[in-house]
Amino acid sequence: MTGQSLTEAPPRRRRESHATAWVRGFALKLILLCAVNALGLYGVIAAVAVKSWAIAAFLAVALAVVDVCYFSKRMIPAKYLIPGLLFLLVYQVFVILYTGYAAFTNYGDGHNSNKQDAIDAILGRGSERLPDSLSAPVSILERDGELYFLLPSDQAGQALLGSATTPLHLVDDAVFEGSQPTGLPGYTTLEARQILAQQSEIGNLAVPRSENPADGFVRTTDGMNAYTYVSTMAYDPTADTITAADGTIYSDNGQGNYASEAGERLEPGWKVTVGFSNFTSIITNKSLRGPFFGVLVWTFAYAILTVVIAFALGLSMALVLNHPTVKGRRILRALLILPYAFPAFLSAMVWQGLLNSKYGFINQVIFGGADIHWLESPWLARLSVLVVNVWMAYPYMFLVSTGAIQSMPPELEEAARVDGAGWMRVFWSVKLPLLLVSLAPLLISSFSMNFNNFNSIYLLTEGGPLENPTDMAGSTDILISFVYRLAFGGVNRQYGLACAISLLIFIIVAGISAYSYRKTKVLEEMN
Amino acid sequence: MRKTTTILLAAVVTATMAACGGSDTPANTTSSTGTDQPTTASLLVWADATRSPVIRQMAESFTKDTGIAVEVVERDYGKMRDDFISQAPTGQGPDILIGGGDWTGKFVQNGVVTPVELGDVADGFADVAIESVTYEGQVYGLPYALENVAMFRNPALAPDTPATMAEAIQTGQAAVSAGTAKYPFLIQIDPQGDPFHMYPIQMSFGAPVFGQDPAGGYNPAELAMCGDQGKAFAAYLAEMGQAGIFETTMTADIAKEAFVNGESPFVISGPWNTADYQTAIPDVAIDPIPSAGGLTASPFVGTQAFFISAKSQNQLAATQFVVNYLGSKDAQVELFKAGGRPPALTAAAEDAAVANDPSAAAFNAVAVDGVSTPNIPAMDAVWGDWANTEVAIIDGKGDPSALWDEACASIKTKIEEAS
């Protein structure tokens, strides 16, 4: 390329956006954009088809934004930012908002869905099959859009016919196949496939046995056989109450359950917002309060100790291996990075095996068959998870420290030496402050990461051991593994409570990070 | 001008692509009222890897008869219960899933399953099977297999069936001192505890978890294991722990390997290990679990069942498929061949393919004395404390009866808090 063409090119680029210029790769861009649009449109259509309006609206807006942005001549920065922003919205912002919402609800076992589902489930349970009652093969007929059940009767040559509005009654001119009536003049008999084509209508069809509701109603659950049921629960939509067969009235207790005056609740309930009660229960519930603060303290200790020890270890290794007189530095460096190269999952599992009190390598070989309960006694377990976590974390510290040291101008050290500073003084007064400027943000993010380091705890000890077999939290439980225990391990899944604690974790980590970053700025100004 | 062309072109291509991609969407969602419309509904089934092929096989004849497609999705069995509970309300869950009978209470508590009308077919199932899918008088699943533990015996090390636990351990210790075995008696405990495998021993002391109401349902208000019988069992655990016969480091894998290698005359295990044990020890015997406390050592009898989602849009089709196809004798025999667990349908259990299988017959014989695994939600409050306490007692971390009392108090509180 000549200098001339280079000077000509920029104005042309400025005039036209890549999306509209007939340049090489245009076809590819067009196809890509079309694909995105097609996918988006498909998503909108699919979302509308299942009536997920929020998702449909989000997709439509996102699609419009993407199109406007990529067809526009300006908005160059947006072209780079939009994909990331969209994914941030879906994977981060939405999740945080949803967690925030769920933290204020009683979402969990027994409060799993909405009120309508709960009513349906209660009424479904509240229909009882009458013992020794009618149970017969059924034919399903249709006339003028209304569905009918045709059943055999105990009268010879007669059959029973009924619909949702007309109770069962005897009819004379039914067509029989053996003892089973299969048709009636004027009515169409539905075939198996037609029955399945409108299975929800047929499944919901309840044909009264007589004018008296106490006689029950006939239903089919498979489209082939009919049985008689009586309702033991009745829903009154105007009063929003459910009445049981024994006359007990259950009304909405405002906490997502139908409850009688005596306080007896019907299951299932439904999800309702409960204000701050998930948050207050951390303080007020005794079985939660004790473990919560213990776990909180250990979480801080664990995260801070991990970062400090790992950083100290990594930095000293980096300093040592940076010294020109050390031989085989490359090989040593490669070896030090090894723990970082193993997947953390694998490391944790391997360590768990090594630390097994009876069959583990450490007790068997290093301690000559001693019976040391590395993972089973509370303080040793804390020590073990800390050591393993430091082992997994220090190579990273070693890497970043090496990088920072090597980028440091050697004149600084020489100048300090000339001024008569010893190596200790050089390290503390010159190198470390300079290192911290570039490494402090990494230390902070490392702290946040370890604050929520679920893997290393869960894979090593599952949060255990329990000091007392009935404790709610184990000795090595950090907040996030405690939340997991609450949400998935206990008697009832308590998603609402787990979300509340997750939110607290989020606030703690965000607060500490924000504070530390401000401190880091001070550090920068100092230099 | 050029820009307009571009946008038009883009619009045309987009529309074409969207049309191609979207053409099958409306079809999937029709289940509307027209009588002449072809059926386009399809059933989604969640099953584990072992059972999926059999279900697919049964689905073929179902699809041929009804025109309804069945899609079987393989899921991790351990996660299915909770995944289903959280997914069902969104309408995204399956129409049918397999699961344990002891999940019934949790499913009903969350309103995610619908009662299944077994009709007259119900009489054809083993009582304990129907019991395990019954919750507050309603049947919520179609059982297909029973599972319970029994005692495998290596005849080379122990030629006779021991009458009591003491006798079994004596035989085992004799084998250990003779140098032919390494462990007198194998029972998996795990550092996390395993009350399921331990239950027959607890039952032999007369300490069931819950009392039963007259209709046979478990009563969460009556923790029957919290009496003197329970404490007698706790003392026995401590004694066996001290003697080193019960070890909390004994995981399922270690126990299995030890028995396969002929290192112990006895192991308590279930039908899932039959094939491996028979390969290693061709003449392995399956015996009832010997009594430690004097009463019958009844194991938990669990049931595997098919459940139908309360949010399924295809209730009729799902019920037809479950009751008439998966509940058939052929299906239950096939499921037995795939999973090795005795069928829940009596007619299938009496089928030659099952009846001539000595291990199935032996497990069935033990199941007769068994009790159904509690399916009430309160059972979830029991497992954790129960397991941890057994471990603490075996490891000698305190007075057995004090630990047992603590566990009982904690379980009681949890059940009361949850209800």
Side-chain angles (χ1 to χ4, degrees):
Chain A
M1 251 196 193
T2 65
Q4 214 182 353
S5 65
L6 266 176
T7 47
E8 271 174 7
R12 212 188 120 216
R13 278 199 200 120
R14 236 181 280 130
R15 226 178 16 242
E16 286 185 41
S17 147
H18 282 278
T20 51
W22 294 97
V23 292
R24 220 171 47 186
F26 168 77
L28 184 70
K29 273 175 223 158
L30 187 68
I31 289 172
L32 277 178
L33 208 53
C34 287
V36 168
N37 271 288
L39 217 68
L41 269 185
Y42 172 77
V44 172
I45 294 169
V48 167
V50 296
K51 299 194 171 102
S52 300
W53 304 119
I55 293 177
F58 174 79
L59 283 175
V61 171
L63 205 57
V65 169
V66 167
D67 279 341
V68 166
C69 165
Y70 285 94
F71 278 116
S72 150
K73 283 184 190 172
R74 277 165 275 163
M75 300 198 190
I76 305 290
K79 287 186 175 120
Y80 293 93
L81 289 177
I82 283 284
L85 279 179
L86 283 178
F87 284 117
L88 184 77
L89 273 179
V90 173
Y91 290 111
Q92 299 283 327
V93 178
F94 172 74
V95 173
I96 293 170
L97 289 180
Y98 189 79
T99 307
Y101 157 73
F104 292 94
T105 68
N106 58 359
Y107 181 32
D109 269 346
H111 300 275
N112 196 37
S113 189
N114 57 32
K115 191 171 180 178
Q116 189 53 51
D117 281 353
I119 294 171
D120 288 348
I122 291 168
L123 296 183
R125 290 173 65 190
S127 73
E128 222 161 69
R129 192 179 153 197
L130 282 175
D132 307 323
S133 66
L134 177 95
S135 137
V138 62
S139 300
I140 296 160
L141 314 182
E142 192 206 4
R143 192 177 70 176
D144 303 332
E146 189 164 10
L147 294 164
Y148 295 84
F149 283 165
L150 187 65
L151 297 158
S153 73
D154 42 15
Q155 310 288 321
Q158 288 188 312
L160 286 163
L161 181 79
S163 73
T165 45
T166 41
L168 287 182
H169 54 275
L170 288 171
V171 285
D172 292 328
D173 44 358
V175 184
F176 280 83
E177 261 176 40
S179 61
Q180 172 64 18
T182 54
L184 198 64
Y187 295 80
T188 326
T189 306
L190 299 186
E191 285 165 24
R193 279 169 196 243
Q194 294 170 321
I195 290 172
L196 292 172
Q198 39 186 330
Q199 49 180 319
S200 50
E201 289 86 352
I202 294 168
N204 289 330
L205 183 61
V207 175
R209 279 193 87 185
S210 69
E211 298 290 348
N212 178 8
D215 284 346
F217 49 88
V218 178
R219 285 184 57 192
T220 177
T221 54
D222 59 359
M224 302 160 110
N225 296 294
Y227 306 97
T228 313
Y229 298 86
V230 283
S231 292
T232 53
M233 298 278 177
Y235 179 62
D236 177 358
T238 47
D240 190 22
T241 55
I242 288 178
T243 311
D246 61 7
T248 320
I249 294 174
Y250 297 86
S251 53
D252 186 343
N253 67 356
Q255 292 161 3
N257 273 112
Y258 282 107
S260 68
E261 280 190 12
E264 194 202 338
R265 289 180 296 181
L266 291 177
E267 282 188 332
W270 60 95
K271 197 159 64 172
V272 291
T273 51
V274 292
F276 281 91
S277 74
N278 285 325
F279 295 90
T280 50
S281 75
I282 299 169
I283 314 275
T284 53
N285 184 335
K286 228 196 299 172
S287 55
L288 209 57
R289 182 177 58 200
F292 181 79
F293 287 105
V295 168
L296 186 68
V297 170
W298 165 242
T299 309
F300 272 105
Y302 172 74
I304 293 173
L305 286 174
T306 300
V307 174
V308 170
I309 300 174
F311 180 60
L313 199 64
L315 181 60
S316 34
M317 299 272 189
L319 285 170
V320 170
L321 289 184
N322 203 41
H323 206 277
T325 55
V326 178
K327 286 195 183 124
R329 283 187 291 168
R330 284 194 178 183
I331 295 168
L332 285 175
R333 275 188 189 141
L335 283 177
L336 280 179
I337 294 168
L338 266 187
Y340 198 45
F342 284 124
F345 281 94
L346 199 65
S347 305
M349 303 295 268
V350 169
W351 273 102
Q352 193 193 32
L354 293 177
L355 291 167
N356 184 305
S357 63
K358 194 160 182 196
Y359 308 97
F361 179 84
I362 293 180
N363 274 352
Q364 286 292 325
V365 178
I366 299 182
F367 289 94
D371 187 27
I372 305 170
H373 293 247
W374 293 107
L375 299 174
E376 290 88 26
S377 86
W379 283 104
L380 276 178
R382 288 188 186 120
L383 180 73
S384 303
V385 292
L386 202 57
V387 167
V388 172
N389 205 32
V390 165
W391 186 82
M392 291 195 284
Y394 88 88
Y396 171 74
M397 299 295 181
F398 168 73
L399 269 182
V400 296
S401 304
T402 304
I405 291 170
Q406 288 182 343
S407 67
M408 209 177 279
E411 301 87 57
L412 286 171
E413 189 178 346
E414 278 167 33
R417 292 258 185 213
V418 170
D419 285 346
W423 69 268
M424 280 285 275
R425 189 63 198 259
V426 171
F427 174 74
W428 285 112
S429 305
V430 180
K431 284 190 175 171
L432 192 62
L434 280 173
L435 279 176
L436 280 181
V437 174
S438 52
L439 295 186
L442 298 179
L443 295 184
I444 295 163
S445 62
S446 177
F447 168 82
S448 322
M449 202 279 276
N450 281 300
F451 201 85
N452 285 328
N453 199 341
F454 180 80
N455 288 349
S456 71
I457 295 288
Y458 196 76
L459 291 177
L460 267 181
T461 62
E462 294 188 20
L466 300 173
E467 274 184 54
N468 191 317
T470 52
D471 280 352
M472 272 191 74
S475 318
T476 57
D477 257 324
I478 56 173
L479 280 173
I480 194 76
S481 64
F482 180 57
V483 167
Y484 182 82
R485 231 181 244 269
L486 280 182
F488 302 101
V491 185
N492 277 332
R493 312 289 174 272
Q494 307 181 67
Y495 298 119
L497 182 61
C499 286
I501 301 181
S502 301
L503 212 59
L504 287 184
I505 298 178
F506 174 73
I507 292 168
I508 293 172
V509 173
I512 291 175
S513 304
Y515 176 77
S516 317
Y517 276 115
R518 276 178 50 196
K519 283 277 164 194
T520 327
K521 265 197 189 139
V522 177
L523 211 62
E524 266 168 49
E525 281 155 14
M526 253 169 31
N527 285 277
Chain B
M1 189 48 199
R2 208 186 252 171
K3 192 175 166 190
T4 329
T5 329
T6 317
I7 293 176
L8 270 178
L9 192 61
V12 169
V13 177
T14 303
T16 326
M17 289 173 94
C20 298
S23 61
D24 59 348
T25 340
N28 267 339
T29 48
T30 24
S31 61
S32 63
T33 43
T35 41
D36 296 333
Q37 269 178 349
T39 322
T40 49
S42 73
L43 292 176
L44 180 64
V45 184
W46 279 5
D48 65 344
T50 323
R51 252 68 62 160
S52 293
V54 182
I55 299 173
R56 286 203 186 96
Q57 191 187 324
M58 296 314 293
E60 261 172 45
S61 55
F62 176 73
T63 309
K64 215 169 68 192
D65 295 351
T66 61
I68 292 182
V70 180
E71 191 194 342
V72 182
V73 177
E74 283 176 20
R75 304 279 299 203
D76 176 1
Y77 185 82
K79 289 186 186 149
M80 230 151 56
R81 185 182 88 155
D82 289 345
D83 284 355
F84 176 66
I85 289 174
S86 43
Q87 282 187 31
T90 66
Q92 302 292 311
D95 297 291
I96 297 166
L97 83 160
I98 69 158
D102 54 324
W103 297 357
T104 309
K106 207 83 203 178
F107 282 163
V108 177
Q109 182 196 11
N110 285 302
V112 290
V113 289
T114 192
V116 179
E117 186 53 72
L118 296 180
D120 305 326
V121 189
D123 301 336
F125 288 91
D127 288 345
V128 63
I130 293 293
E131 207 175 284
S132 82
V133 290
T134 304
Y135 186 72
E136 292 182 351
Q138 296 258 29
V139 175
Y140 286 92
L142 178 115
Y144 69 83
L146 301 174
E147 60 181 9
N148 56 276
V149 295
M151 187 178 74
F152 288 86
R153 176 170 54 86
N154 186 341
L157 299 171
D160 303 313
T161 305
T164 64
M165 197 67 177
E167 204 181 306
I169 286 165
Q170 214 175 7
T171 313
Q173 279 169 333
V176 172
S177 35
T180 49
K182 207 170 148 193
Y183 305 96
F185 192 94
L186 289 170
I187 178 166
Q188 66 183 67
I189 297 173
D190 222 60
Q192 271 79 43
D194 194 334
F196 178 81
H197 281 81
M198 198 58 88
Y199 197 62
I201 296 171
Q202 179 174 339
M203 280 299 281
S204 76
F205 285 88
V209 176
F210 293 115
Q212 279 171 302
D213 56 35
Y218 284 106
N219 176 9
E222 191 197 341
L223 270 178
M225 69 182 204
C226 293
D228 290 339
Q229 290 93 339
K231 286 180 191 167
F233 166 64
Y236 180 75
L237 280 183
E239 184 194 317
M240 298 300 273
Q242 206 166 17
I245 292 159
F246 292 175
E247 291 177 302
T248 55
T249 43
M250 182 58 66
T251 64
D253 292 339
I254 299 175
K256 182 174 174 179
E257 204 184 312
F259 190 74
V260 164
N261 293 339
E263 292 173 348
S264 176
F266 309 105
V267 66
I268 290 183
S269 191
W272 46 91
N273 277 334
T274 308
D276 290 332
Y277 289 163
Q278 281 174 337
T279 317
I281 306 156
D283 57 346
V284 68
I286 299 167
D287 291 335
I289 292 151
S291 168
L295 302 171
T296 310
S298 314
F300 273 144
V301 179
T303 303
Q304 296 275 307
F306 292 100
F307 295 97
I308 299 175
S309 167
K311 295 285 278 183
S312 166
Q313 299 297 312
N314 307 300
Q315 300 280 359
L316 254 52
T319 310
Q320 268 188 27
F321 183 47
V322 166
V323 176
N324 301 340
Y325 289 79
L326 297 173
S328 70
K329 189 182 140 192
D330 287 350
Q332 301 244 331
V333 171
E334 286 302 316
L335 284 162
F336 161 75
K337 287 180 189 161
R341 286 138 163 96
L345 188 70
T346 314
E350 285 161 359
D351 184 87
V354 184
N356 292 344
D357 183 308
S359 69
F363 272 106
N364 262 338
V366 180
V368 171
D369 287 330
V371 292
S372 73
T373 316
N375 63 10
I376 51 179
M379 191 61 199
D380 268 30
V382 179
W383 287 114
D385 287 341
W386 191 22
N388 293 333
T389 301
E390 286 189 1
V391 168
I393 292 173
I394 293 168
D395 283 344
K397 287 197 177 150
D399 174 52
S401 91
L403 285 170
W404 196 256
D405 276 343
E406 254 173 70
C408 284
S410 165
I411 293 167
K412 247 178 216 153
T413 318
K414 283 179 189 170
I415 292 175
E416 280 159 15
E417 271 174 12
S419 62

